[in-house]
Amino acid sequence: MPKLIAIVEDDPDQRANYSDAITSKGYEVAAYASRQEALDGFDARMPDLAVLDIILGEEVDAGFELCRDLLTRNPNLPVIFLTERVKEVDKISGLRLGAWDYQSKPITLDYLAERISSLLRINEVRANVDNRSATAKQVGDLMLDQDALLVSWRGTRIDLSATEFRMLAKLVRAPGHAVSYQTLMNATMQSLVTNNTINTHMRNIRKKFEKVDPGFACIKSEYGFGYRWSS
């Protein structure tokens, strides 16, 4: 059964273009023009991945509200924000909500389709991981599985987004050594990334570790430079 991709976009031309590009890759698409349409559709069938605009009609934060709703129903659902809102505060809000990716318009249709395929592959591998893979790396109490982009801390799985995983992998490549903001920016594979965006990612990563280990303190801030992993 093809994966279902939800597109929530109020511009009819963009909605049609996104839908055609994604359908051509073999996915099923459910396209919605408003927050309420999307909510009704999610009640009928949850998607395997959602692409959300933030502004829908007169609702300036509709995409954020939809993201909260989707992740309440399925915390591991890949969500991509695709929007003209490129201010840092909006990106930070999206990341804090738990979105896997935040892309600015305009975007090429081929790139959008590839991002969707990539995130679905990661999510599928995660769902089927039973044993440690050949690419897993142990760093003290930390285990990183490069294939599934999975992390475990003292034997407990921690679900990071693809971006968060790449940043953590950069951080633990050389434990004890400071990693610059620029290096961490490159790891995000996103455009228009600032130091504050990196700080937000790091806060999110810390919080996820602290949920399973309240005493977690391995991610250290290097003021004005970046971060380091200290076991």
Side-chain angles (χ1 to χ4, degrees), residues 14-190:
Q14 291 183 9
R15 189 168 64 249
N17 288 338
Y18 299 156
S19 297
D20 290 344
I22 296 167
T23 301
S24 71
K25 299 297 183 180
Y27 300 116
E28 185 178 348
V29 173
Y32 308 109
S34 69
R35 184 174 67 89
Q36 191 56 55
E37 275 187 29
L39 288 173
D40 292 342
F42 300 156
D43 286 339
R45 180 183 171 189
M46 278 286 286
D48 296 291
L49 180 147
V51 180
L52 309 176
D53 196 357
I54 295 175
I55 302 174
L56 299 171
E58 299 300 318
E59 297 185 83
V60 296
D61 289 331
F64 290 149
E65 295 176 20
L66 284 172
C67 183
R68 290 190 191 94
D69 181 270
L70 283 166
L71 295 181
T72 297
R73 304 186 195 201
N74 179 2
N76 297 320
L77 181 75
V79 174
I80 301 174
F81 280 116
L82 179 56
T83 178
E84 293 177 345
R85 285 175 56 169
V86 295
K87 291 183 178 179
E88 186 174 62
V89 65
D90 294 318
K91 289 189 175 184
I92 289 174
S93 295
L95 295 173
R96 286 177 175 170
L97 286 172
W100 283 39
D101 205 353
Y102 194 109
Q103 296 291 331
S104 58
K105 297 179 182 179
I107 189 172
T108 66
L109 298 178
D110 284 343
Y111 183 75
L112 175 61
E114 182 53 39
R115 289 302 294 150
I116 289 171
S117 296
S118 176
L119 296 184
L120 285 173
R121 284 195 299 270
I122 291 169
N123 212 33
E124 186 171 353
V125 172
R126 284 183 170 186
N128 293 298
V129 166
D130 294 318
N131 301 307
R132 177 178 174 179
S133 77
T135 59
K137 176 181 179 180
Q138 183 86 40
V139 182
D141 292 322
L142 179 73
M143 180 75 73
L144 293 93
D145 186 328
Q146 297 284 350
D147 286 338
L149 272 66
L150 277 178
V151 175
S152 64
W153 176 252
R154 295 178 178 173
T156 301
R157 171 171 161 172
I158 297 174
D159 285 322
L160 303 182
S161 71
T163 298
E164 291 167 348
F165 182 93
R166 288 192 294 268
M167 291 179 62
L168 182 64
K170 285 286 187 183
L171 204 59
V172 303
R173 181 174 294 178
H177 294 270
V179 180
S180 69
Y181 276 111
Q182 187 59 55
T183 298
L184 295 170
M185 288 176 190
N186 293 338
T188 69
M189 298 176 65
Q190 297 174 355

